[in-house]
């Protein structure tokens, strides 16, 4: 069974850092595209960062230069290093084994959040 578990969330002050982890079982990250997502200001799906199986990396405009996505094939884990955190980064972060979750439509996004725990990140000013 394909499973992913997010961890590493927490509470920090603005300017601080956190690292999220997404550990997989039932499939191999190295063979999959992966992405981190969060709700946007209007609760819509927002791409935070993605990495394809050939290593192509993309970032959402609001996190460029502050967040870094990486993966450890030996641990079958994808990471999201978040630096210079801002209060507006406060959200539940979700990982997914696709890079285009936001293109799948609102119903898919709502359903995905309903069945996933995600990792809560809270940034105080």
């Amino acid at each position: 069974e394909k499973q992913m578990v997010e961890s590493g969330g927490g509470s920090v002050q603005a300017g601080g850092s956190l690292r999220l982890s997404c550990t997989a079982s039932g499939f191999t990250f190295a063979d999959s595209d992966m992405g981190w997502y969060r709700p946007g200001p209007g609760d819509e799906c927002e791409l935070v960062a993605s990495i394809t199986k050939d290593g192509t990396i993309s970032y959402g405009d609001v996190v460029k230069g502050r967040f870094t996505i990486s993966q450890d094939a030996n641990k079958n884990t994808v990471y999201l290093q978040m630096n210079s955190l801002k209060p507006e980064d406060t959200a539940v972060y979700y990982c997914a084994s696709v890079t285009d979750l936001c293109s799948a439509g609102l119903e898919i996004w709502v359903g995905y959040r309903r069945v996933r725990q995600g990792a809560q990140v809270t940034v105080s000013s």
Side-chain angles (χ1 to χ4, degrees), residues 55-121:
T56 301
I57 291 175
S58 299
Y59 295 99
D61 288 341
V62 294
V63 306
K64 281 180 180 176
R66 299 188 296 123
F67 291 11
T68 303
I69 189 171
S70 63
Q71 61 183 18
D72 185 333
N74 291 330
K75 296 182 178 179
N76 214 25
T77 298
V78 172
Y79 301 100
L80 184 68
Q81 178 66 42
M82 304 183 293
N83 298 329
S84 302
L85 282 161
K86 304 175 180 180
E88 50 265 43
D89 294 319
T90 296
V92 179
Y93 287 69
Y94 303 90
C95 65
S97 57
V98 294
T99 57
D100 59 355
L101 180 62
C102 296
S103 302
L106 180 62
E107 187 173 345
I108 297 297
W109 170 236
V110 170
Y112 194 78
R113 291 174 64 188
R114 188 172 294 131
V115 300
R116 300 298 309 282
Q117 181 174 355
Q120 175 71 52
V121 172

Side-chain angles (χ1 to χ4, degrees), residues 37-48 62 88 90-92 102 109 113:
Y37 301 86
R38 72 186 187 188
D43 218 30
E44 74 281 10
C45 176
E46 181 176 270
L47 171 70
V48 178
V62 294
E88 50 265 43
T90 296
V92 179
C102 296
W109 170 236
R113 291 174 64 188

